[in-house]
Amino acid sequence: MGTKENKKNTGITAAIVIVITIVLVILFLIKRDDIISNLKKTNFFERVGVSTPEFVKNHEISQDDEQESEEIEIDLLGTGTQTVKKDNGTNEKAKDSSLGEDSQDKEDKTVASEQKDKEASDNKDGVAAKENKPAVQEEKTVETPKAVVSTRNTVLCFVTIESDGSVSRKMVTRALPKTGSPLTEAIKALLEGPLPQEQSKNAMTLIPSGTKLIGASVKNGVATLNFNDTFEFNSYGVEGCIGQLMQIVYTATEFSTVNSVQFLIEGEKKDYLGIEGQWIGTPLSRANF
């Protein structure tokens, strides 16, 4: 009985082997091209030490098989690239989405760098232009030192009218420029009249307004003074004529070289001055007043 069971088992096993063989043959026939392609691509026979059959060498691999044979390595470390391995042994790097971001960052940095270089160039050009630009010289106002004018104290004779109507002399000391003609400067200052501060001290003049000194000279203690014809007409009458002559004589005789004054009108010697007829035919001194 044991022999029958063994035979039965052997028959079943043989049947299974036959079925499997048939299935493998069918699968081989169906997937023949794929199997041969894989054998050729993987160099199966050479790896096991057997020469590759001619039908395997001559088998053409379809384009679909080549694309399917590509080995894709997906970036799992976040490096931003993926490697595609082809049968010819070459590697190509493709950009994924993260690589796109890196490329954008790189482009932004490039643009920023170019802009920075441009700004640096513009600044350099600006500095060069500034250096080449002629400097604007500041206009400095130079104050010219005023020349120191030497002066001398000169006594001028003005008059003052007292409360009772009488006329009195008012001697005023004034600083006049020191020149080579001190007598001329003194008489001209007298003809201009008293200054405001002198007027505040009741100083006034009886010399007719508009009187001009035409010339002056001193010889042997006598000062010859030549006036225009305005000097002849005094609106204050006889007292006015006496007062104007006194002012001239006292001012002139303040100088040590002058003792008296000879009056001329328009270059002519006259005997009398004014309507009242004040004597001027000879030099007059302080003793005449």
Side-chain angles (χ1 to χ4, degrees):
M1 188 167 177
T3 302
K4 291 180 179 181
E5 290 179 356
N6 290 334
K7 289 181 178 180
K8 184 178 179 180
N9 292 335
T10 302
I12 293 172
T13 301
I16 292 171
V17 171
I18 293 171
V19 171
I20 292 172
T21 302
I22 294 171
V23 171
L24 291 175
V25 171
I26 294 172
L27 290 174
F28 177 78
L29 293 176
I30 294 174
K31 295 292 184 178
R32 179 175 178 275
D33 291 337
D34 294 338
I35 293 172
I36 295 173
S37 296
N38 288 331
L39 291 174
K40 181 177 181 180
K41 288 185 291 185
T42 58
N43 295 325
F44 173 76
F45 294 100
E46 293 180 359
R47 291 182 179 180
V48 298
V50 180
S51 61
T52 303
E54 290 298 327
F55 74 91
V56 175
K57 291 182 179 181
N58 296 331
H59 180 74
E60 294 182 359
I61 299 175
S62 65
Q63 185 175 2
D64 293 337
D65 291 339
E66 289 181 354
Q67 292 177 355
E68 290 177 358
S69 65
E70 292 177 349
E71 182 180 354
I72 300 174
E73 294 182 2
I74 299 175
D75 177 23
L76 298 178
L77 300 177
T79 59
T81 61
Q82 60 184 15
T83 303
V84 181
K85 185 177 182 181
K86 295 185 177 181
D87 290 337
N88 57 7
T90 61
N91 293 333
E92 293 182 356
K93 292 186 177 180
K95 298 179 181 179
D96 58 9
S97 60
S98 61
L99 180 59
E101 295 177 357
D102 292 341
S103 177
Q104 184 65 33
D105 292 341
K106 185 175 180 181
E107 183 178 354
D108 292 342
K109 290 180 179 179
T110 302
V111 173
S113 178
E114 292 177 354
Q115 185 175 2
K116 185 176 181 181
D117 293 340
K118 183 178 180 181
E119 291 177 356
S121 178
D122 293 341
N123 292 335
K124 184 176 180 182
D125 294 340
V127 172
K130 186 176 181 180
E131 290 177 354
N132 294 330
K133 186 177 180 180
V136 179
Q137 296 181 352
E138 295 183 359
E139 295 183 0
K140 295 183 178 180
T141 303
V142 179
E143 294 184 359
T144 304
K146 295 181 179 180
V148 179
V149 179
S150 298
T151 61
R152 65 161 53 94
N153 290 330
T154 303
V155 178
L156 306 179
C157 181
F158 293 103
V159 297
T160 182
I161 298 178
E162 304 295 341
S163 59
D164 59 355
S166 61
V167 178
S168 301
R169 290 184 298 274
K170 184 74 173 180
M171 308 302 288
V172 174
T173 301
R174 188 186 296 180
L176 297 178
K178 182 182 290 188
T179 65
S181 304
L183 177 60
T184 300
E185 296 298 328
I187 299 302
K188 286 183 177 180
L190 180 65
L191 297 180
E192 291 174 357
L195 299 176
Q197 61 268 28
E198 296 166 347
Q199 292 177 4
S200 65
K201 296 179 181 180
N202 299 322
M204 59 178 296
T205 183
L206 293 176
I207 300 174
S209 178
T211 298
K212 302 294 182 183
L213 178 65
I214 298 175
S217 63
V218 178
K219 184 178 182 181
N220 298 325
V222 178
T224 302
L225 304 178
N226 184 21
F227 296 95
N228 63 349
D229 57 2
T230 304
F231 188 73
E232 288 189 87
F233 307 100
N234 195 302
S235 60
Y236 294 103
V238 63
E239 293 294 334
C241 288
I242 295 171
Q244 75 183 68
L245 294 174
M246 179 185 65
Q247 285 184 244
I248 299 294
V249 170
Y250 269 80
T251 298
T253 55
E254 280 292 326
F255 295 93
S256 61
T257 57
V258 178
N259 296 321
S260 61
V261 176
Q262 177 63 62
F263 290 92
L264 300 179
I265 306 299
E266 297 290 344
E268 295 182 7
K269 182 189 289 186
K270 293 188 176 183
D271 292 336
Y272 297 96
L273 177 68
I275 299 175
E276 301 296 334
Q278 290 297 315
W279 177 258
I280 59 172
T282 58
L284 300 178
S285 65
R286 289 188 178 190
N288 296 113
F289 300 96

